Amino acid sequence: TDDEMNELFQQVRSQTALLILDSCYSGGFSRDVVSRPGVMGLFSSEEDLTSSVAEKFQAGGFLSHFIQTGLSGSADENRDRVITAGELGAYVRREFAREESISASTQEGQQNYQFPVVDRGAVQVDAPVLALGT
């Protein structure tokens, strides 16, 4: 649950920690877990919507695919070999937008579209997330 995940993240001792959930209804974790300083959350859908499988990429989910490509270097906009929180968040949003209409639905069967939830909390936009090797 989000409360259990929050307890686990209370024990993390790092300058910046990422919580990445590529699952249906994952956006609800943003409220509880990202409230801790130094935690950035990337969630595949809003808290009341499903997340689609990214069959066209032969990947489990769209967010998983975009995180993989982003952290492999595609999110490094200024090519300084450091991916920042701002670069990663912007990259994920851009890639979802390129896909245009990713279908999603509520538990009641209402149709909508999947959009990522990117919550930097108190993590600064220029905070390093990953330094790329040479």
Side-chain angles (χ1 to χ4, degrees):
T1 66
D2 53 355
D3 292 333
E4 293 168 323
M5 187 70 73
N6 186 37
E7 284 182 37
L8 291 171
F9 266 80
Q10 295 297 329
Q11 300 170 36
V12 173
R13 301 290 173 241
S14 67
Q15 202 166 32
T16 303
L18 295 178
L19 173 59
I20 302 169
L21 296 175
D22 191 353
S23 61
C24 299
Y25 318 114
S26 59
F29 281 77
S30 178
R31 274 185 302 221
D32 290 327
V33 183
V34 181
S35 62
R36 182 181 92 63
V39 176
M40 176 178 174
L42 296 116
F43 310 101
S44 61
S45 63
E46 296 171 275
E47 68 181 310
D48 62 342
L49 291 174
T50 59
S51 294
S52 296
V53 173
E55 292 176 14
K56 74 183 262 182
F57 297 119
Q58 297 179 345
F62 286 92
L63 181 62
S64 295
H65 177 72
F66 297 146
I67 291 293
Q68 179 188 11
T69 58
L71 292 178
S72 294
S74 295
D76 185 16
E77 289 179 33
N78 61 6
R79 301 293 178 229
D80 66 353
R81 309 293 295 157
V82 175
I83 297 173
T84 65
E87 286 176 321
L88 184 59
Y91 176 79
V92 165
R93 287 185 179 115
R94 249 190 335 272
E95 293 303 305
F96 265 87
R98 282 189 188 150
E99 291 304 311
E100 296 180 12
S101 300
I102 302 170
S103 296
S105 61
T106 65
Q107 287 182 329
E108 295 79 29
Q110 297 170 330
Q111 295 302 303
N112 207 320
Y113 299 100
Q114 180 182 342
F115 295 102
V117 175
V118 177
D119 190 343
R120 285 188 297 104
V123 174
Q124 297 293 315
V125 71
D126 62 349
V129 171
L130 178 69
L132 299 168
T134 55

